[in-house]
Amino acid sequence: MTESSSSEPSFCRHSNRADEFLMALPSDVAAKLWGVSKAPTNVLIETEDGRKFIVFVSEAKGMFFLFNGWSDIVTHLGLKTGCFVIFTPLDSTSFRLTYFVNGVSSTCFWTSMLPTASHFTVIPDCILPKSHDYTFTDLISTIFLGNKEFHVKVETFNGKVCFTAGIDVIVTQYQLEAGSYFLFTKWFGHSFHLRIFGKNGLEMNFDVVHVDDADIAPIDSVQDVALRPVAEQANGHIIRFVRMVADYFRLPDDVSRKAKLDLGLKNITIRLLHLNPQKEFPNGTRREKRVKGYRYALRRWSRFMNIAGIKVGDTIYFCFDEIEHVLSVERVVSHVNLS
């Protein structure tokens, strides 16, 4: 995996025809690289094969372009429309250039995030270990993003091997926008490092981003906690909430409503994303009458706790997908007895 040896940000470009003659720097790149000062007149670009090129920088209407000298790089590397290029700063005026033809470069591949409800990523055949039969056996891949680790399911979908369940967790936790770019670098086995570039082309730094660190209020009674979420966040068709485990579990009203339990839906799908391998199974619900209306709970909660490996007092981070009717356990924080 190519990493910057500078504190300057890496950036990418999905090239179009005009980029074969002059390369437009993505918006905000100049400000990130050179601040409010004027851009340098030229930069040094080193390709993966060790060749070095001096490329002049021009400005027009507030935009910066790699101009004279850039066409030499295009010719040398055979870059075409649709190529994906990454500029990794060595310092503020020199860069190492990595390029991808047909989406793949050695052990890496890239994809852009589409504006769809379900997120999955096709893995190129040349990236996959040849020893595994992906048509019959599903498996779990470990994806490292910044200082976090995610478990993502790998399965065959419409004849293609894809990352499926778990990619949506990354998208929702980091609130990624359609048009962002994913760069996967194979590590060992079915493990990958992931770099993400925003719509503006700048690489996003997730080492300083903390997810799932909800502020949990002091809890005096485990039994009371099951009646209310400790923290709750709605994000499109995704609802996230945090609960401390009691000896029963009632669904938040928003989840009950969006799961359409009042319309007769009895089962929802449970996904245990915190396990390796992950597990999935259907789980029944029951309706409990209260003074005004009804509330809903999961059946066979003790079985759920046993399968998930959780205990009373643990804190669970849940995610509910209202479209797929899937309740996922994303993270479990074990209870610590301080007495």
Side-chain angles (χ1 to χ4, degrees):
M1 175 178 166
T2 303
E3 295 181 351
S4 173
S5 58
S6 166
S7 60
E8 311 297 340
S10 297
F11 62 94
C12 71
R13 179 77 175 178
H14 187 200
S15 61
N16 55 39
R17 183 168 179 77
D19 291 334
E20 296 180 25
F21 305 97
L22 71 166
M23 171 65 73
L25 298 181
S27 59
D28 300 331
V29 164
K32 292 287 186 180
L33 288 172
W34 304 303
V36 295
S37 61
K38 186 177 180 180
T41 57
N42 59 69
V43 295
L44 174 69
I45 296 179
E46 179 180 342
T47 57
E48 291 179 293
D49 59 2
R51 287 284 301 274
K52 295 181 180 180
F53 298 82
I54 299 296
V55 180
F56 287 84
V57 179
S58 63
E59 180 183 3
K61 298 181 180 180
M63 292 287 294
F64 290 88
F65 301 85
L66 299 178
F67 185 49
N68 189 22
W70 173 250
S71 59
D72 295 334
I73 297 177
V74 171
T75 300
H76 173 66
L77 298 178
L79 300 180
K80 302 292 183 182
T81 299
C83 288
F84 188 71
V85 292
I86 296 177
F87 296 83
T88 301
L90 303 176
D91 55 48
S92 62
T93 59
S94 60
F95 304 88
R96 181 176 293 113
L97 178 65
T98 305
Y99 70 101
F100 298 79
V101 178
N102 297 324
V104 181
S105 174
S106 63
T107 59
C108 303
F109 71 97
W110 72 274
T111 185
S112 58
M113 199 183 93
L114 301 176
T116 56
S118 60
H119 303 280
F120 65 93
T121 301
V122 175
I123 307 173
D125 292 340
C126 60
I127 299 294
L128 298 168
K130 301 298 187 292
S131 59
H132 191 86
D133 186 350
Y134 299 91
T135 60
F136 295 100
T137 307
D138 297 334
L139 55 90
I140 302 299
S141 172
T142 301
I143 294 180
F144 299 92
L145 174 58
N147 54 11
K148 298 291 183 181
E149 175 181 322
F150 296 88
H151 299 292
V152 178
K153 190 173 184 180
V154 177
E155 59 185 325
T156 301
F157 184 82
N158 287 341
K160 301 288 186 179
V161 180
C162 308
F163 291 125
T164 56
I167 287 292
D168 55 332
V169 174
I170 297 174
V171 170
T172 55
Q173 284 195 356
Y174 291 107
Q175 300 181 16
L176 302 177
E177 297 181 284
S180 301
Y181 298 99
F182 288 4
L183 175 64
F184 294 91
T185 300
K186 189 175 180 299
W187 191 18
F188 65 90
H190 294 92
S191 298
F192 290 82
H193 285 284
L194 173 60
R195 297 168 67 186
I196 299 178
F197 296 81
K199 294 170 62 176
N200 63 355
L202 285 176
E203 183 171 10
M204 305 172 74
N205 180 10
F206 294 107
D207 287 331
V208 296
V209 176
H210 301 283
V211 295
D212 282 343
D213 292 329
D215 294 328
I216 301 177
I219 296 169
D220 299 320
S221 171
V222 173
Q223 297 294 337
D224 290 339
V225 175
L227 301 177
R228 61 180 178 83
V230 178
E232 187 168 325
Q233 175 188 5
N235 184 7
H237 63 89
I238 301 294
I239 297 176
R240 323 189 86 82
F241 58 99
V242 184
R243 289 282 180 86
M244 181 176 281
V245 178
D247 54 10
Y248 54 87
F249 179 85
R250 295 192 181 107
L251 294 165
D253 288 342
D254 279 354
V255 171
S256 298
R257 174 174 53 81
K258 293 190 175 184
K260 298 180 174 60
L261 297 179
D262 286 322
L263 300 181
L265 180 66
K266 300 300 183 183
N267 291 335
I268 60 176
T269 299
I270 303 295
R271 285 181 184 162
L272 304 179
L273 304 180
H274 69 296
L275 299 180
N276 188 11
Q278 298 173 3
K279 295 184 179 180
E280 178 177 315
F281 55 91
N283 206 95
T285 62
R286 68 170 182 269
R287 186 168 67 169
E288 300 175 346
K289 187 173 179 60
R290 53 185 175 181
V291 177
K292 292 184 178 180
Y294 297 88
R295 62 188 177 197
Y296 294 83
L298 293 181
R299 292 184 180 274
R300 305 182 68 183
W301 176 240
S302 60
R303 169 178 173 268
F304 184 109
M305 292 176 61
N306 184 53
I307 296 175
I310 58 178
K311 299 177 181 179
V312 171
D314 291 349
T315 300
I316 313 299
Y317 290 75
F318 289 98
C319 171
F320 178 72
D321 186 322
E322 65 173 280
I323 295 178
E324 303 293 336
H325 297 148
V326 175
L327 180 67
S328 299
V329 174
E330 296 182 334
R331 180 183 172 196
V332 175
V333 178
S334 299
H335 173 66
V336 178
N337 189 349
L338 300 178
S339 59

